Structure formats: C-alpha cells, structure tokens
Amino acid sequence: MSLLLSLFFIINTAGAAEIEWLNLPNAVPVFTKPIEGASLLVMTKEGERIVIRKRGDRYTRVQVLRGGKWRAGYVFNTDLESPDVVTSRGEFGFGAGGLYSYLKHAGKDFETDDQVQYSTEDFMSTSFSPFLLMQYGQEDFWRFIFTYRLTAYTSSANTNLSATNGRALSLDHTMYSAILQKMWTPLAKPVFYYGFGLEASKAGDAKLVLGGSHLPVAAEDLPTYLGGHAAVGGQMDFGRSLSAFAELRFGGYVNQSPFILSAEAALGVLYWP
C-alpha cells in the first residue's frame, strides 16, 4: 500500500519543475503553517529523507512520509542551511547482476515413445543466470527483477527392463523469470536487509538427453515455475550514484510435482539517477 501511495505522490508532483530530495542529518521540527506559533506537525528523524516543495524567505514547504502518507508542512530555512544537509539520490535505482542457483527435486517416473518406463533419481541443477532489476526506495524497498533463468539438471534413469543399467539423464531449460521482492532494512543505516519474493518463470526451450540420445520436448511440456523465497542481503553505497549488493535466497516452486527446492546467491550493482 505504501508503494501505491508513493507512486501516487510522484505522479501528482510530476508537473513540478523538479523534485528535490534532502537527507537531514538531525531531527528538525515541521510545522503546520508558515507562521510564528504554528503547531507542530511532526519531528523528522535523524537521517530522514524529505521532499522540498517550495522555498520561501523564511520557511520552506516540505513533505514528510508518515504512516504510508505524505504530509505537507513547513520548516525554518535555517534548519536546511547545515553543510551536512545533502541532496539525496532519486528513489528509483536500475541495475544488473548475476545469480548462482542450486535447484533440487525428487525423482519421477516417465515413459518414452517406445513405451519404455523410466524411474529417475533426484534431479539437481547448478547454474548461473544474468538478471536486470529496478529498485524503489532505499529503506524498506521494493525490487522488480527480470532474470534470464537457466537450469542444468542432472540425474540417472533406470528402466523397467531388468537387463539394462541406469542411464545418464540431463535436462536444461532456458526460462524467463519475473520476481517481485519486498525488503525491510531494520537498522538506522540501511546496509543489512531481509524480506521475501514471489516469482513466476516460464520455460521457452528445453533440451533433454538420455544416455547420450536427444529426446524431443513438446511445447506443452515446457514448465512454468510458480513459487517464492526468503532472502537476506547487504547493500553498500559507493558515492551518490552507485551501490552494490549481495543476497542469499532460500525457497522453492510450489506448483511443481515433486516440489522444487532452491538455494541461490545473487550479486548486483545499482545506478541511481
């Protein structure tokens, strides 16, 4: 809900010549009116970001986020003259990175066109996948991630013919994945974060090899993964416009039978306009 309200705020301020974001190193009072004796609206927090709406001779009109709503008030200009007050980066960051994935699911039974039945061992996949992302916010932020997800499952298959031995089995996918994450930053300085994500991935192609022989994969057999993960990570700033992050994810895909477990590590960089 706070994301929707923030987007509404941005859209409604799009007509302004420029939105100025400020980081305040100290707590300052925000008043309801630009007059002497006006009641206090809120006190800002140390390090809080505020939006400058209009500067005046003695007061500056600002907006402060409280309870998911942007509240407008006035601060003394002298409270904004500290050399420690810096213009903050924008609320949207754009970046890219790489994802190392370990996937595992239990074996299953299948039948080939020649009516030979196979029973497989556990499938395990280790692979590297590139991704693009957009992040909204610095504290308690949202991320949208598009991943060109690759899988490289390996297993072995035994047939119902007692005279044959197990045969090596490999299954590779190329998938298009969309992930929406919500992360929280519990510390005053948002370095460490944790949260969860929801993912939908659709395979665009697959390669199945059994005992050295390539088997066709029908379009209707290309899987769709639906699932989610819990995540922990850290994000560090490098100047005003760049930051880097490292993240661990643990989850799975609930619509697959058997259930697929996942453990992943991601590294990425973000640019803040």
Side-chain angles (χ1 to χ4, degrees), residues 18-25 48-52 55 80 82-91 138 239-241 272-273:
E18 182 180 358
I19 299 175
E20 185 180 0
W21 300 82
L22 292 185
N23 277 346
L24 296 175
E48 182 174 0
R49 290 178 175 83
I50 66 172
V51 179
I52 301 298
R55 294 182 182 270
L80 303 179
S82 167
D84 294 329
V85 176
V86 296
T87 301
S88 70
R89 58 177 52 150
E91 286 294 286
Q138 325 252 333
R240 178 196 175 278
S241 299
W272 301 88

Side-chain angles (χ1 to χ4, degrees), residues 160-213:
N160 58 344
L161 305 176
S162 59
T164 61
N165 296 320
R167 303 171 68 184
L169 178 66
S170 66
L171 176 61
D172 301 340
H173 295 113
T174 58
M175 310 185 77
Y176 303 96
S177 167
I179 299 172
L180 181 63
Q181 290 182 325
K182 171 61 178 178
M183 297 296 164
W184 287 271
T185 52
L187 305 180
K189 190 172 182 179
V191 175
F192 168 76
Y193 63 83
Y194 68 93
F196 65 91
L198 299 175
E199 179 179 357
S201 296
K202 174 61 179 177
D205 191 21
K207 183 175 70 174
L208 177 63
V209 179
L210 176 62
S213 300

Side-chain angles (χ1 to χ4, degrees), residues 98-107 121-129 147 149-155 175 199 225 228-230 247-253 259-266:
L99 177 69
Y100 177 81
S101 301
Y102 171 79
L103 306 178
K104 178 181 178 180
H105 67 84
E121 303 294 333
D122 289 352
F123 283 83
M124 288 177 287
S125 169
T126 56
S127 61
F128 178 83
S129 305
T147 305
R149 181 178 285 282
L150 304 173
T151 72
Y153 289 107
T154 58
S155 184
M175 310 185 77
E199 179 179 357
Y225 288 176
H229 58 259
E247 182 177 303
L248 295 176
R249 306 174 188 168
F250 303 93
Y253 302 100
F259 180 83
I260 298 177
L261 297 173
S262 67
E264 300 179 316

